[in-house]
Amino acid sequence: TQLLEQSPQFLSIQEGENLTVYCNSSSVFSSLQWYRQEPGEGPVLLVTVVTGGEVKKLKRLTFQFGDARKDSSLHITAAQPGDTGLYLCAGRMDSSYKLIFGSGTRLLVRP
Amino acid sequence: GAVVSQHPSRVICKSGTSVKIECRSLDFQATTMFWYRQFPKKSLMLMATSNEGSKATYEQGVEKDKFLINHASLTLSTLTVTSAHPEDSSFYICSATGLVGADTQYFGPGTRLTVL
C-alpha cells in the first residue's frame, strides 16, 4: 500500500491549460516536498512546505499544504510543453529523516 | 552547490555478475546517503540508508546480502548488486544530506542497470 497517493496518475493536456495534481495521505507529515523528474534523470526539488495551510508560488506553479498536514496540491497555470515530466510528492514524518515518496503523476503537455 | 554524481550512468551486465554503482557528493560532506530504486513509470522506493563509517540500514524486504552498501568516506557511497538477475534491472538513484541543512536530500542523476 502506498502511504502517499497521488492523483491523477497520468494527465495529458494541451498547452495553455491549467491543471492540479493532488497528494493525499491518512498520515500527518512534518514537511512535504514536490519534485519533478525527467526520464533518465534524478528528481529535482521544486518546493518544500512545512506549515499547515501554507501556500507557495514558483512562477506558474502554486503549492499548498493542507491544514492538517496530510495532503498537498500542485497547481500549474498555463501549462507549457517544458512542464512535461513525472511529478512526485514526498513527505517526512516527525523525527524521521526518511522521505516517503508518493505514487507519482505523469504529465504530458502537448504543443 | 550541493551536487551529487553517480557512476556509471548506464550499465549492462550478464546474469550472475556483480555490479558496483558509485554515489559521490562533489562539493559537500555527506553524512547520510540514501539509495532508491525506481521501476519504469513508478515512484522511488527507499532501499537503504547509509551513514559514513557505519553499517547501512535496510528497508523491509530489501536483501542486505544482495545489495551491499559501503559508505567509507563523507563523499562516497557504493551500492553493489551481487549476482545480478534480470529482475534487478531498474533505475537506481542515490541522494545525500550534509552537515548543514540535513532536511534536504540532494539527488544524483541515477544509474540505469540492465541485467541480461
Side-chain angles (χ1 to χ4, degrees):
Chain A
T1 56
Q2 192 84 37
L3 198 58
L4 273 170
E5 288 287 348
Q6 287 184 235
S7 61
Q9 291 184 17
F10 178 73
L11 192 55
S12 177
I13 61 171
Q14 202 70 36
E15 181 177 2
E17 292 182 359
N18 302 332
L19 68 118
T20 302
V21 177
Y22 299 93
C23 175
N24 295 302
S25 177
S26 57
S27 301
V28 176
F29 292 93
S30 58
S31 66
L32 197 135
Q33 299 177 327
W34 284 92
Y35 293 82
R36 179 167 160 266
Q37 184 184 24
E38 298 199 33
E41 298 181 9
V44 175
L45 179 65
L46 297 174
V47 78
T48 300
V49 285
V50 296
T51 306
E54 181 177 3
V55 177
K56 281 191 174 180
K57 290 192 175 183
L58 183 66
K59 296 183 180 178
R60 293 177 294 100
L61 278 61
T62 301
F63 305 87
Q64 186 165 7
F65 202 12
D67 291 341
R69 292 185 290 138
K70 292 182 179 181
D71 53 82
S72 181
S73 64
L74 157 61
H75 182 79
I76 301 179
T77 304
Q80 299 176 359
D83 296 327
T84 294
L86 177 66
Y87 288 83
L88 296 160
C89 64
R92 180 178 281 110
M93 292 181 167
D94 283 336
S95 72
S96 174
Y97 51 80
K98 296 181 189 179
L99 274 180
I100 299 169
F101 276 86
S103 48
T105 294
R106 193 164 298 277
L107 172 65
L108 172 64
V109 182
R110 305 185 305 276
Chain B
V3 178
V4 175
S5 70
Q6 283 184 239
H7 179 80
S9 57
R10 288 176 175 267
V11 57
I12 300 173
C13 69
K14 292 183 179 180
S15 185
T17 60
S18 294
V19 175
K20 179 185 285 188
I21 302 170
E22 293 185 348
C23 177
R24 293 182 185 272
S25 57
L26 298 184
D27 51 3
F28 68 102
Q29 293 183 322
T31 51
T32 304
M33 286 185 169
F34 304 85
W35 286 96
Y36 295 84
R37 183 173 182 177
Q38 185 177 30
F39 289 107
K41 299 184 180 181
K42 297 294 183 182
S43 188
L44 278 70
M45 297 297 293
L46 180 64
M47 298 175 65
T49 304
S50 73
N51 292 292
E52 184 264 338
S54 61
K55 288 185 178 180
T57 302
Y58 290 81
E59 294 300 299
Q60 191 173 9
V62 178
E63 299 176 58
K64 61 180 181 181
D65 293 331
K66 181 167 186 63
F67 299 99
L68 301 178
I69 292 172
N70 184 280
H71 192 164
S73 77
L74 283 173
T75 59
L76 173 65
S77 175
T78 60
L79 167 67
T80 301
V81 182
T82 62
S83 186
H85 290 283
E87 57 266 30
D88 298 324
S89 298
S90 190
F91 193 52
Y92 291 89
I93 305 173
C94 73
S95 70
T97 59
L99 294 170
V100 180
D103 288 345
T104 300
Q105 290 186 27
Y106 300 96
F107 285 84
T111 296
R112 171 76 58 195
L113 170 63
T114 303
V115 184
L116 302 176

